[in-house]
Amino acid sequence: MKTFINEYIEWIIKALLIILILTILIYVFDVDSESGIQSIDSKKSSFEIIENNSKIFLYYFLLFPIMPVLFLLDLTSITTNIYFSFRLFGIWYTVENMYAHFFIEFFNLLFYTYLSYINFRVFWEFRSIKYVIKNVKKNYQLYLFSYLFLIIAGLVEGIAYA
């Protein structure tokens, strides 16, 4: 378990470095777009948020062979939206609208993407789905734990911004 925790912490650090690099690239190339930014009035219910986050969770669970592509797309989307929110609405508005669910949702995203990354490694190392299934069975409690936090984050976000 200690190895798992150490590797997960390493995964978080790598994700944060990717986000930093993406932020620098967006800033350096002075990308100027409002696409992808939700309007201030576009609030979603807890159910809609949980449904959307569940789809993402399921993508990572089922599409583990292409997990790095999904992960880079997600980090790019997250980074771009936060960057443009800073530019359009200001830092304080962005932080105020993120903090309620960010720590649960973001670190949980990193957690279940890390579980997907483990399946990605197992799959490509052994070139067999049966080893991935063994790994999922071994870690099923972690998947349940992660999904529970996904639901909690959706509830917090839906209630906080209702």
Side-chain angles (χ1 to χ4, degrees):
M1 187 65 155
K2 189 170 187 161
T3 303
F4 181 87
I5 292 170
N6 290 341
E7 288 180 358
Y8 174 59
I9 291 169
E10 187 178 306
W11 181 254
I12 291 172
I13 292 168
K14 287 177 183 177
L16 293 174
L17 285 173
I18 291 170
I19 289 171
L20 178 64
I21 291 167
L22 289 169
T23 303
I24 291 169
L25 288 173
I26 292 168
Y27 179 77
V28 166
F29 290 106
D30 194 29
V31 178
D32 192 20
S33 169
E34 295 179 22
S35 64
I37 300 293
Q38 288 186 353
S39 125
I40 294 174
D41 297 326
S42 70
K43 307 294 183 197
K44 294 184 178 179
S45 70
S46 290
F47 177 77
E48 291 170 315
I49 294 165
I50 292 168
E51 180 181 35
N52 183 57
N53 291 349
S54 294
K55 288 178 188 175
I56 296 168
F57 184 90
L58 194 58
Y59 293 155
Y60 280 103
F61 185 76
L62 296 176
L63 300 176
F64 59 86
I66 61 167
M67 178 271 160
V69 173
L70 297 174
F71 190 60
L72 283 174
L73 289 173
D74 272 346
L75 290 184
T76 301
S77 174
I78 291 166
T79 303
T80 303
N81 280 312
I82 292 172
Y83 177 81
F84 287 129
S85 182
F86 280 172
R87 287 188 64 188
L88 295 171
F89 308 119
I91 292 174
W92 296 118
Y93 175 86
T94 302
V95 170
E96 183 180 18
N97 283 287
M98 282 179 26
Y99 80 92
H101 70 280
F102 176 77
F103 289 104
I104 297 172
E105 188 171 341
F106 183 70
F107 288 106
N108 189 42
L109 170 78
L110 292 179
F111 187 70
Y112 65 76
T113 59
Y114 178 65
L115 292 172
S116 181
Y117 176 68
I118 293 170
N119 290 337
F120 167 81
R121 285 190 335 208
V122 167
F123 179 76
W124 290 108
E125 181 179 342
F126 297 106
R127 309 248 189 237
S128 173
I129 194 74
K130 73 178 182 176
Y131 292 102
V132 174
I133 292 170
K134 282 183 184 180
N135 188 59
V136 169
K137 286 180 181 179
K138 182 178 92 174
N139 292 319
Y140 82 93
Q141 291 175 323
L142 297 175
Y143 283 100
L144 292 175
F145 174 78
S146 180
Y147 193 72
L148 174 66
F149 271 85
L150 181 145
I151 292 170
I152 291 169
L155 290 172
V156 168
E157 184 175 356
I159 292 168
Y161 305 121

